[in-house]
Amino acid sequence: MTPAELATVVHGAVVAGVAAGDFAGTPPDAVVVERPKNREHGDYATNVALRMAKSAGRPAREVAEAIAARLRQFDGIAGVDVAGPGFLNITLAADSLGMIAQAIVEAADGYGRSDALAGRKVNLEFVSANPTGPVHLGHTRWAAIGDSLHRILEAAGAEVAAEHYINDFGSQMTKFGASLYAVARGRPVPEDGYHGDYVADVAKAVLAERPDLLDLPEDDAVAVCTGLGEELMLRSIRESLSRFRVEFEVWFSERSMHSSGKVDDALTRLREQGHVYDADGAVWLRTTDFGDDKDRVLVRSNGEKTYFAADAAYYLDKRGRGFDTCVYMLGADHHGYVGRLRAIVACAGDDPDLTLEVLIGQLVKLVRAGEEVRLSKRAGTIVTLDDFVDLVGVDAGRYSLARWSADTPLTLDIAEITRRSNDNPVYYVQYAHARTRNARRNAEQFGIGLDVFAPELLTSPYEAALLTALGDFPAVVATAAELRAPHRIARYLEDLAGTYHRWYDHCRIAPQGDDPVTDLNRTRAWVNEATRVVLANGLRLLGVHAPDRM
RNA sequence: GCCCCCGUAGCUCAGCCGGAUAGAGCAAGCGACUUCUAAUCGCUAGGCCGCAGGUUCGAGUCCUGCCGGGGGCGCCA
């Protein structure tokens, strides 16, 4: 019996109890059963009686007793205790609990998927690195979290598109082109230009493709630098992200919205909604109507449209493409933008609380031996995604970034996250997976396959602990999706790996010495395989490899 | 001044819709390798959940105020 099935059974008992007049009250829409922290409290616990007590007008313990009496009638439930203020502690029969293993093996890759977010069309925008420089460590945190979220939301049934916005319009691009040109000419980079060794690399690449560059009039040459520089930079950004196993469905160009007239359309639309006004020669959006602390400029007095205008157009474009939830993942240094974004949404006639979600990620630092790592050959003062992957690898890098809540400012110690031992959670979880594979290979030597399944033999408390942990996975994925919190997957996997290792130490799969192969051995092979499935599915959601051997 | 995030064990952090005796890893100490790969496991020790109020059967969790730390407040993108 899975926890979801048990929840249905308990709910049924509550409804039946009310119908039969055991106690009064309104049954809740759904019942939650959870794994108690303390194993002595049974396999599962529920607080439904505590929640019912008020409407029943009776002490929670009395309600609990009445529900318990009904549950005890149920096949597959071995025991029900009323504890504390009115908790119901439920112990399942071994065969009933053991069925989880078979269900998981049969569901295979599909185990953990749900329809919790079915029908939702979610747009996930993250990284959105400017094509004027490499992907840096701040982006990298979002690359890991955003891509995992992509996978998790899909597992929860949502239709998801990951998008990378390209700021390829405006003065920053021109500055980049001018910087490239300066370097190509052997002149110093302008004060407000782009610095770092990568600028020289890109300039060299531009020269290689356009040997005539220096013969062109300066304006034309800068334009060539801007165009080619952007192309090269974008290609390198894609390569870096792809190497980090991060893929986007859509690379969305800001410039394309200007040239196609979408920005003008958006301005018209906002004007029609009555939130646009002209002042000081500029065009403004009255974002203060919606909680912003000051109004924002859409078109500057020199006629140029702002980044903000493009963002309004981008939001409208997303909505036009049918997304009902638009998620923006921003660094903490951009949180001031949230108010403006909400105002755009409100000015467009949407409810920001419904269609807009802004996730703010706190800053990341990398330290080595207690010193912050800043030395980047490529970018001068920042650590790039490529530097990071070179230092720690993709698996350790992704896992280390994804296992922390985005709300936590993060300091990663290089020595700690690359250490190949049990104090490194990445390897702890990966090793557990490798161990399941090895145990399976070993069992096969004894002729143990997945044929006989006798769950009533799974009576060890270590099996109960493992089986209930395995049963939690779908709920963990659904919660991670709902809370946009990939770190919950990682924490769950660490817990599961520990539970598996303990089980492995106490419950042999293959027989020892000359002992004969028993049905218990064969049944444990299912438990082992179910664990492998969950570890593999969980690691896949984090974009981390599940190795066969370590 | 205003806004966002954080404050939980020596350290780094989990803690979902408020629920039972607040958890994990590391670090410290002790123990288990003739192993299903010890990249593992067992045990010990470690807590005014920043402070003060409030809400209620019940608060680490929700509300208010304060203290401490980090970040942000352009006709830049």
Side-chain angles (χ1 to χ4, degrees), chain A residues 234-248:
Chain A
L234 206 50
R235 190 183 307 158
S236 124
I237 288 170
R238 280 177 196 256
E239 280 166 7
S240 300
L241 288 166
S242 177
R243 179 182 173 217
F244 202 50
R245 299 178 203 134
V246 175
E247 303 294 339
F248 293 90

Side-chain angles (χ1 to χ4, degrees), chain A residues 2 82 117 156 184 244:
Chain A
T2 65
V82 174
L117 298 178
F244 202 50

Side-chain angles (χ1 to χ4, degrees), chain A residues 10 13-14 22-23 46-53 56 58-72 80-90:
Chain A
V10 175
V14 174
D22 294 0
F23 46 87
T46 175
N47 63 358
V48 68
L50 287 156
R51 296 190 173 280
M52 284 291 295
R58 305 230 327 247
R61 286 195 63 106
E62 284 180 28
V63 177
E65 286 295 353
I67 299 171
R70 290 188 173 272
L71 288 175
R72 290 192 188 103
V80 184
D81 290 321
V82 174
F87 290 100
L88 285 166
N89 293 335
I90 302 168

